[in-house]
Amino acid sequence: MEETTVQEEKKKNNKQPRPQVLRCAVQNYDWGKIGEESEVARLFSLNSRMGIEVDKPYAEFWMGTHDSGPSFVVETWHETGNSSSDSESVTLKSWISENPRVLGDKVVEKWGHDLPFLFKVLSVAKALSIQAHPDKELARALHNSYPNLYKDDNHKPEMALALTKFEALCGFVSLEELKGVLHNVPEIVELVGSVEAEQVLHVNEQDGEENKKFVLQQIFTSLMSACKDSVSKMVSKMKSRLIMENKVRQLTDKEQLVLRLEKQYPADIGVLSAFFLNHVKLNPGEALYLGANEPHAYIYGECVECMATSDNVVRAGLTSKLRDVPTLCSMLTYRQSSPDILQGVALNPYVTRYMPPFDEFEVDRCSLPEGESTVFPAIPGPSLFVATRGIAQIQFASSYEHSDQAVVTKGSVLFVPADTEITVKTATTAGMGLELYRAGVNSRFFFDS
């Protein structure tokens, strides 16, 4: 009898910690949608049980362990399925540090006692800055030299998955399109000089990639480094020209975009630099991934975003924040191509997976109709779940022989440990289904490593 008791106690002590309910952070950047118009505001209000300030911008809903917007563990599911709120002051980061096995052995071996990804929802009312994220080597150098500006030493590959129609600038346009820009936007030629422009116009597709990148870097750096007075003059001149031309012809999508940007950021070099970048339009359910050292700017819409756990941003336009033009212009890859749009891969009738070429993360989108169920199989890494619509019951079962269940509604955010199977079921009488997103370590990391 005594031996059985000891074995039961060991078994109890070896149990994997249960899934955790999280209270998450919000960022009120000025480009966010205002008040009730913002999906971020609605999710944050439901998640935090706080009201929405009607005149305040709500830009980003953060789920994860980054120090600039940490999530807190506020509820733990017990044997009965009930919850308690006695650990509200515990950050998810510190809770994981005390329970590292929730990450799984391979994740701990690769990234230590922290989540390797940061999960967000974004509500974009006006354009974010022209920016890029450094690779690991540059991130370490920037953090060591300017720790107040670059808060961590990690790289920040990221992926945006559209919740609504979503617009972005991403990567440099093709050589052919760039030549068209120089023929059709005289203000850019006047700003950078005819010598720089002629260099681009005389490059052809047969020239080596390094030469094409060098010429692009030269003209882009000249553009971004132009003095404020000259930029203001050329932006105003371009605006006046396009308004006049709109009376006799239909403006192109890019021309209409730069006029929108000019209204948001008058006299800003980012307005002109938009001509150099691809204008990408995502439909709901489409995703865009961004590697290190690639220029981009989100323009409008709402999305789920996932990235490596970092907040390093090098900005150079369309912003009132600090600009670091020399760093941005020196770090870019200057790759000229249209970005890849991910449609996702269906795992079953209700779940679609988006797998960018980065180890740190992948995202699953679950759209579950009323009265249906689906299973997320146990995986060897942790997951974050956020419900963006509807209501459902979730049941958790782990290899440590315990089972819990919870009801999730819009705004619910859960941390789910490694090796935990998740069953999601919607009611037949609720009158609605469920929209659920999961972020986790990229499955290729487990299969290929």
Side-chain angles (χ1 to χ4, degrees):
M1 187 65 144
E2 184 177 345
E3 183 179 346
T4 302
T5 303
V6 171
Q7 290 175 349
E8 289 177 348
E9 186 64 26
K10 286 182 178 181
K11 189 175 180 180
K12 179 181 177 181
N13 292 335
N14 285 331
K15 279 187 177 181
Q16 177 83 311
R18 289 170 165 78
Q20 305 295 311
V21 177
L22 304 180
R23 292 285 176 262
C24 301
V26 71
Q27 306 288 1
N28 303 102
Y29 306 136
D30 63 2
W31 49 260
K33 290 190 176 184
I34 304 298
E36 294 280 356
E37 296 178 0
S38 171
E39 179 70 356
V40 164
R42 296 189 289 268
L43 290 171
F44 174 70
S45 177
L46 292 168
N47 178 265
S48 65
R49 303 187 182 94
M50 294 174 62
I52 298 174
E53 297 183 45
V54 294
D55 298 324
K56 193 171 187 176
Y58 289 82
E60 298 187 352
F61 183 57
W62 284 31
M63 299 161 282
T65 58
H66 197 281
D67 292 338
S68 296
S71 296
F72 290 83
V73 174
V74 295
E75 293 178 325
T76 303
W77 302 104
H78 297 295
E79 298 285 355
T80 60
N82 296 324
S83 62
S84 66
S85 302
D86 56 1
S87 52
E88 191 160 355
S89 62
V90 177
T91 65
L92 177 61
K93 186 173 184 175
S94 63
W95 183 83
I96 289 174
S97 181
E98 294 172 1
N99 301 278
R101 61 183 173 178
V102 299
L103 300 176
D105 293 341
K106 287 188 176 181
V107 173
V108 171
E109 182 180 352
K110 173 79 171 181
W111 291 288
H113 294 179
D114 196 7
L115 277 182
F117 56 86
L118 176 60
F119 203 21
K120 299 181 181 180
V121 178
L122 272 60
S123 292
V124 182
K126 67 177 185 177
L128 282 68
S129 55
I130 303 287
Q131 60 183 255
H133 306 302
D135 57 29
K136 286 187 176 181
E137 183 179 358
L138 180 58
R140 283 192 292 268
L142 292 172
H143 178 64
N144 289 336
S145 299
Y146 311 103
N148 292 331
L149 300 177
Y150 301 101
K151 300 298 180 71
D152 58 73
D153 62 359
N154 198 15
H155 69 161
K156 191 187 177 187
E158 63 186 30
M159 179 174 68
L161 171 55
L163 294 173
T164 64
K165 286 186 177 295
F166 193 80
E167 292 180 75
L169 293 168
C170 176
F172 288 103
V173 298
S174 67
L175 178 61
E176 181 182 358
E177 187 173 341
L178 181 57
K179 288 182 178 183
V181 168
L182 298 180
H183 282 302
N184 297 318
V185 189
E187 296 82 12
I188 289 179
V189 177
E190 190 172 347
L191 191 60
V192 302
S194 58
V195 174
E196 297 281 9
E198 286 297 322
Q199 282 187 316
V200 175
L201 293 173
H202 285 94
V203 172
N204 58 59
E205 292 293 349
Q206 286 69 45
D207 289 334
E209 289 299 317
E210 290 306 313
N211 183 50
K212 288 189 285 187
K213 288 181 179 181
F214 175 78
V215 171
L216 176 57
Q217 181 173 0
Q218 291 291 105
I219 192 171
F220 187 72
T221 302
S222 295
L223 179 72
M224 301 305 290
S225 304
C227 71
K228 287 185 178 181
D229 289 344
S230 296
V231 170
S232 179
K233 179 181 176 181
M234 288 303 109
V235 171
S236 177
K237 191 174 180 179
M238 179 208 65
K239 176 184 176 182
S240 298
R241 175 177 62 81
L242 291 179
I243 290 173
M244 290 297 294
E245 291 185 10
N246 192 38
K247 295 178 180 179
V248 296
R249 69 173 176 89
Q250 177 70 37
L251 297 182
T252 67
D253 281 352
K254 184 64 74 69
E255 289 171 334
Q256 293 177 49
L257 172 62
V258 297
L259 289 180
R260 285 166 55 197
L261 297 177
E262 191 278 333
K263 286 183 179 180
Q264 298 172 4
Y265 300 94
D268 193 295
I269 189 58
V271 176
L272 293 175
S273 66
F275 281 108
F276 281 60
L277 305 176
N278 296 295
H279 184 198
V280 180
K281 298 179 181 180
L282 301 180
N283 293 312
E286 294 181 329
L288 173 71
Y289 68 81
L290 303 159
N293 304 325
E294 295 291 347
H296 62 279
Y298 295 155
I299 301 300
Y300 186 83
E302 290 174 311
C303 72
V304 167
E305 187 182 40
C306 199
M307 64 203 65
T309 301
S310 173
D311 197 30
N312 281 325
V313 181
V314 182
R315 301 178 180 87
L318 303 180
T319 183
S320 58
K321 295 181 179 180
L322 178 73
R323 303 174 186 221
D324 191 348
V325 173
T327 298
L328 182 101
C329 291
S330 66
M331 69 189 274
L332 299 178
T333 65
Y334 293 98
R335 185 182 299 113
Q336 290 180 276
S337 63
S338 298
D340 292 330
I341 306 301
L342 301 183
Q343 303 293 335
V345 177
L347 302 184
N348 59 48
Y350 309 122
V351 179
T352 303
R353 175 161 293 171
Y354 301 81
M355 295 178 67
F358 317 118
D359 284 349
E360 285 87 349
F361 60 89
E362 66 186 15
V363 174
D364 291 342
R365 175 178 180 259
C366 175
S367 185
L368 195 61
E370 177 184 350
E372 300 292 342
S373 65
T374 192
V375 175
F376 290 85
I379 55 176
S383 298
L384 287 173
F385 285 81
V386 58
T388 58
R389 179 180 62 84
I391 183 171
Q393 185 178 75
I394 293 187
Q395 184 167 337
F396 311 98
S398 83
S399 58
Y400 291 82
E401 298 184 6
H402 67 68
S403 178
D404 295 303
Q405 61 184 24
V407 173
V408 295
T409 60
K410 180 173 180 174
S412 296
V413 180
L414 303 174
F415 172 87
V416 177
D419 304 308
T420 304
E421 182 183 88
I422 300 103
T423 301
V424 186
K425 186 174 183 179
T426 53
T428 56
T429 57
M432 66 179 74
L434 180 77
E435 195 84 17
L436 188 72
Y437 292 84
R438 181 194 76 89
V441 174
N442 197 307
S443 297
R444 293 194 191 101
F445 169 72
F446 300 112
F447 299 142
D448 297 343
S449 59

